[in-house]
Amino acid sequence: MEAISLNVEKEGDEVRICASLKPELQCSCLEHEWRIKVEGPGNVIQEWGWRARASEEAYKGLSIKWKPPTEGEYRVKAELTSHRASVERSFRMGKARIALVYYSRTGTTRKLVEKLVSELQSSEVEVSVHELKVRREYRRPLHINPRLIVETFRGVADVQIPEGFDPCAYSALVFACPIWAGKPAAPMASFLKSLAGKCPGKPVACITTSLAALDYSPRLARLAEAAGFKVVYRLNATRGTLPGATSDLVKALLQK
Ligand SMILES: Cc1cc2nc3c(=O)[nH]c(=O)nc-3n(C[C@H](O)[C@H](O)[C@H](O)COP(=O)(O)O)c2cc1C
């Protein structure tokens, strides 16, 4: 059992951060040492720390009101150092930001992403699109391109990471790529490897495009999960056709 609880509630343009000792925790410490740290967009960092004796109110925790300086994604970590206990929560100020990251060699995935962008953009969601490029694009005929085949089976490629791309800066991400020889295209596989451990638990959707009417999306989802993301939605678009409404995708990504 975690010894502490942490709640973050928005109150207008401020947030109330409540860190407290769980009532069921029995301890005989004379003093408690607490620390709360908030990390946010553009290296915004705010910290509070205190020590309180058992007779003092703050021994059991504190409720802090704070005004985040900018819009974006924030991560709060509360620690009760005396018990080596810590809890984390995320919150967002302003519009939800969704990043769509895709690779497309012959244009099908690109068209699908363009359609998605026009459907996702709304008053509550801001969408940004990042197309992955390999330093040396695969030459046709693609099916017998030895480099493409080797890199696809190894899941590595000389992919250019979009400059300044930070997965933690988004509320959620969508990864989309074609299927090559039954596997997610090498540039996407390689890109996901480069993000390993950078933003654990961040919700993502995985979209594969293929010629065959098979659900290949679990294969991309496995790569995203191996990088630490939480896959909340996945689908395969055969010949670039979306099988369902995008509203489900948004609902899943924003965890409504
Ligand atoms: C080298 C290569 C291998 C492919 N392997 C498969 C496959 O195993 N299964 C399948 O259904 N489609 C396969 N396809 C078709 C593509 O997945 C499909 O056309 C995809 O939508 C292309 O996306 P893009 O236009 O964004 O590059 C393959 C295409 C290429 C070029």
Side-chain angles (χ1 to χ4, degrees), residues 106-254:
T106 54
T108 309
T109 314
R110 185 179 303 111
K111 268 199 201 133
L112 178 98
V113 166
E114 283 164 1
K115 189 169 182 293
L116 268 179
V117 171
S118 63
E119 291 186 23
L120 290 181
Q121 220 122 28
S122 71
S123 53
E124 54 168 342
V125 182
E126 185 185 306
V127 181
S128 67
V129 184
H130 307 269
E131 179 173 6
L132 297 179
K133 294 274 181 197
V134 275
R135 270 172 246 275
R136 203 156 47 97
E137 195 46 279
Y138 303 101
R139 290 227 185 110
R140 291 175 192 261
L142 299 172
H143 285 85
I144 52 162
N145 179 322
R147 184 165 62 91
L148 182 151
I149 294 162
V150 169
E151 293 189 351
T152 299
F153 278 96
R154 288 195 183 149
V156 290
D158 197 1
V159 66
Q160 288 174 297
I161 310 295
E163 211 177 308
F165 182 81
D166 173 11
C168 302
Y170 301 95
S171 324
L173 300 102
V174 178
F175 300 120
C177 71
I179 288 297
W180 286 344
K183 294 167 78 87
M188 180 56 77
S190 205
F191 176 66
L192 286 174
K193 281 181 191 162
S194 78
L195 299 183
K198 288 214 168 134
C199 211
K202 181 67 73 184
V204 301
C206 293
I207 300 179
T208 46
T209 70
S210 65
L211 275 182
L214 288 172
D215 186 6
Y216 287 107
S217 64
R219 302 179 190 190
L220 182 57
R222 274 199 291 276
L223 298 182
E225 278 164 3
F229 295 107
K230 180 179 166 196
V231 179
V232 293
Y233 198 84
R234 59 175 175 77
L235 63 86
N236 186 80
T238 307
R239 294 176 185 271
T241 308
L242 276 173
T246 43
S247 53
D248 297 345
L249 171 79
V250 179
K251 258 190 226 157
L253 284 176
L254 301 182

